[in-house]
Amino acid sequence: EAQVTQNPRYLITVTGKKLTVTCSQNMNHEYMSWYRQDPGLGLRQIYYSMNVEVTDKGDVPEGYKVSRKEKRNFPLILESPSPNQTSLYFCASSWGRGSYGYTFGSGTRLTVV
Amino acid sequence: AQTVTQSQPEMSVQEAETVTLSCTYDTSESNYYLFWYKQPPSRQMILVIRQEAYKQQNATENRFSVNFQKAAKSFSLKISDSQLGDTAMYFCAFSNLQGAQKLVFGQGTRLTINP
């Protein structure tokens, strides 16, 4: 089944404790991206990657890091999480420029206390 | 920068009724893509329908159709014969063909279908 797999689904952590949210796709998509969803704001792009070793900032990159060492994987790293990073996170992938839409993972609910 | 606005935070209709969700956007580009995504309580993001800006014909997918007004920069979603399973958050999204690749989302409309 073609899908984007995110883990974990839920995560509660403490301020300052480094964490990684994993994302993997099995569709050989070139493009991958991370979004965060907050009430009243919709989804906003954090980082994106056009291909292996090619990443760039989205609209809200502060406090996040990413890497793209393999085509299928695009982990999101929070090196020192803070409470304002409490949010619902989505990984997405697509062919080319996404003209046929994006496939999303099932989301990660992160709470930073 | 592109922006997408959904002016209806919440809507509620009875089962089998028709409902229209509004979306407006702002862009200086002439070619782009527009999407409606559904997010049920499971929080999965599901693509409902897509529209290519250079196509004048409105997209249709079964009970879902759009009213795309390019000059007015409006992209509304009509759900006919609404079903309980249509209860969800709906997001309008814009994708450009130039510059940074991303989906720009509206704030979302929470739709409730009542039995």
Side-chain angles (χ1 to χ4, degrees):
Chain A
E1 179 187 356
Q3 61 185 357
V4 175
T5 302
Q6 265 181 256
N7 282 296
R9 191 164 170 80
Y10 297 92
L11 179 59
I12 300 174
T13 190
V14 296
T15 299
K17 185 176 181 181
K18 181 179 179 179
L19 65 92
T20 299
V21 184
T22 63
C23 175
S24 180
Q25 50 94 4
N26 62 0
M27 296 164 283
N28 202 35
H29 285 169
E30 296 169 338
Y31 172 85
M32 297 185 75
S33 182
W34 278 100
Y35 290 84
R36 61 178 287 173
Q37 180 181 349
D38 301 291
L41 297 177
L43 285 78
R44 295 174 293 167
Q45 189 186 58
I46 303 170
Y47 268 95
Y48 67 97
S49 170
M50 299 298 291
N51 214 325
V52 176
E53 303 292 0
V54 180
T55 63
D56 207 348
K57 296 177 180 179
D59 296 321
V60 288
E62 293 76 21
Y64 304 96
K65 283 180 59 177
V66 294
S67 67
R68 188 93 181 271
K69 294 183 171 57
E70 304 168 281
K71 195 171 187 178
R72 63 183 292 126
N73 296 323
F74 190 47
L76 180 69
I77 303 159
L78 285 72
E79 294 205 325
S80 184
S82 62
N84 64 13
Q85 293 179 296
T86 292
S87 187
L88 177 59
Y89 291 87
F90 285 97
C91 180
S93 71
S94 73
W95 290 108
R97 290 198 65 89
S99 57
Y100 290 93
Y102 294 63
T103 302
F104 284 82
S106 55
T108 296
R109 172 71 69 185
L110 172 65
T111 301
V112 184
V113 298
Chain B
Q2 293 90 0
T3 59
V4 177
T5 301
Q6 294 178 248
S7 59
Q8 305 153 311
E10 294 186 16
M11 295 187 73
S12 178
V13 299
Q14 296 298 120
E15 192 176 6
E17 289 183 347
T18 294
V19 59
T20 299
L21 280 59
S22 301
C23 173
T24 59
Y25 59 93
D26 188 26
T27 182
S28 59
E29 299 182 14
S30 60
N31 200 12
Y32 44 85
Y33 295 93
L34 294 162
F35 305 89
W36 279 98
Y37 278 88
K38 171 185 178 181
Q39 186 181 48
S42 67
R43 77 187 191 209
Q44 183 70 40
M45 293 291 286
I46 302 166
L47 178 61
V48 175
I49 200 165
R50 63 183 282 273
Q51 175 78 43
E52 300 172 46
Y54 61 86
K55 289 188 176 180
Q56 293 185 338
Q57 186 174 5
N58 289 323
T60 299
E61 289 286 344
N62 300 315
R63 298 182 295 107
F64 298 87
S65 61
V66 298
N67 183 4
F68 174 49
Q69 302 289 328
K70 191 173 185 179
K73 296 180 181 175
S74 172
F75 183 59
S76 61
L77 175 70
K78 185 171 82 170
I79 306 174
S80 303
D81 186 26
S82 58
Q83 302 174 358
L84 297 179
D86 295 332
T87 292
M89 180 74 85
Y90 287 82
F91 291 99
C92 178
F94 170 99
S95 177
N96 59 4
L97 294 176
Q98 304 291 334
Q101 180 174 344
K102 63 181 176 183
L103 283 173
V104 178
F105 285 87
Q107 303 90 331
T109 296
R110 185 173 301 280
L111 176 64
T112 301
I113 309 298
N114 298 307

